[in-house]
Amino acid sequence: KIFVERTAHVGILDADTAIAWGVTGPALRAAGINWDLRRDEPYGIYPKLKFEVPVGIGSKGELGDCWNRHMVRVREMRESVRICRQVLEGLPDGEWWGKVPKILKLPAGEVYVRTENPRGELGFHLISKGGKEPWRLKCRAPSFHNIAALQAMATGSMIADIIAMVGSLDIVLGEVDR
């Protein structure tokens, strides 16, 4: 009862505002947007796995509020266990160590790769001129975009509610500190 009262209708981040701020992952799905890279642009083993993408439904508050962000995360933890069980069941017997060279030589070119992270989309833009070090590397960390949207969520709110908002975004300060 107390948790619902402190999180429902608090820190609302509607779908349009979330998209405008570049919010991804659970915070975006809590706003009702059914988007997950693992399903919508699958990579790795994800096309072979069965899992549901939890999306906010607004049953206790409004779409995009703190309650929906927390409930999406709880449901995602259950789906993560489901994914882990499928992966473990599919592991072949035998040695799993791979041989990787100590120094990787990158071919000349440019690439952007993004993956679904517990906090949203984690992306890397790499430009190489050839050689063992990238010429340029840029990381797109989800926590940076998610905490930036706090400005939109907190406007007109009580200061005490900001704690619930930040907690529901589940930021990592190392991603935010640039």
Side-chain angles (χ1 to χ4, degrees):
K1 180 178 182 343
I2 293 171
F3 182 76
V4 173
E5 288 176 2
R6 293 293 297 135
T7 59
H9 306 286
V10 173
I12 299 163
L13 183 63
D14 65 79
D16 292 335
T17 305
I19 291 169
W21 281 95
V23 172
T24 59
L28 180 65
R29 290 189 284 275
I33 303 295
N34 192 353
W35 173 259
D36 189 307
L37 277 175
R38 299 169 299 178
R39 181 198 65 205
D40 301 325
E41 293 182 13
Y43 54 91
I45 193 171
Y46 287 110
K48 297 178 182 178
L49 301 175
K50 292 181 179 147
F51 61 95
E52 298 295 322
V53 176
V55 178
I57 55 175
S59 62
K60 297 247 192 265
E62 296 178 51
L63 280 177
D65 64 8
C66 289
W67 189 88
N68 275 278
R69 284 190 290 277
H70 282 292
M71 288 303 105
V72 164
R73 288 189 183 284
V74 167
R75 291 171 50 211
E76 283 190 347
M77 286 188 279
R78 292 183 182 123
E79 291 302 316
S80 293
V81 170
R82 184 177 172 193
I83 289 170
C84 287
R85 286 186 173 142
Q86 291 175 69
V87 170
L88 289 172
E89 289 169 4
L91 281 178
D93 292 334
E95 200 169 309
W96 51 271
W97 290 99
K99 293 184 180 183
V100 179
K102 290 184 181 183
I103 298 175
L104 297 173
K105 185 175 179 186
L106 304 173
E110 185 172 349
V111 67
Y112 182 75
V113 176
R114 60 188 182 162
T115 61
E116 189 71 33
N117 177 286
R119 289 160 186 87
E121 292 182 16
L122 176 64
F124 291 94
H125 181 210
L126 185 133
I127 302 172
S128 173
K129 292 184 177 182
K132 61 182 181 178
E133 295 179 6
W135 180 70
R136 180 167 179 134
L137 177 62
K138 170 75 172 128
C139 174
R140 188 241 188 252
S143 291
F144 182 79
H145 292 270
N146 293 355
I147 196 67
L150 184 62
Q151 176 183 349
M153 291 188 297
T155 301
S157 298
M158 295 188 304
I159 291 174
D161 288 340
I162 293 175
I163 295 167
M165 292 177 213
V166 172
S168 70
L169 290 171
D170 187 31
I171 62 163
V172 173
L173 287 177
E175 286 184 9
V176 175
D177 183 23
R178 298 178 170 247

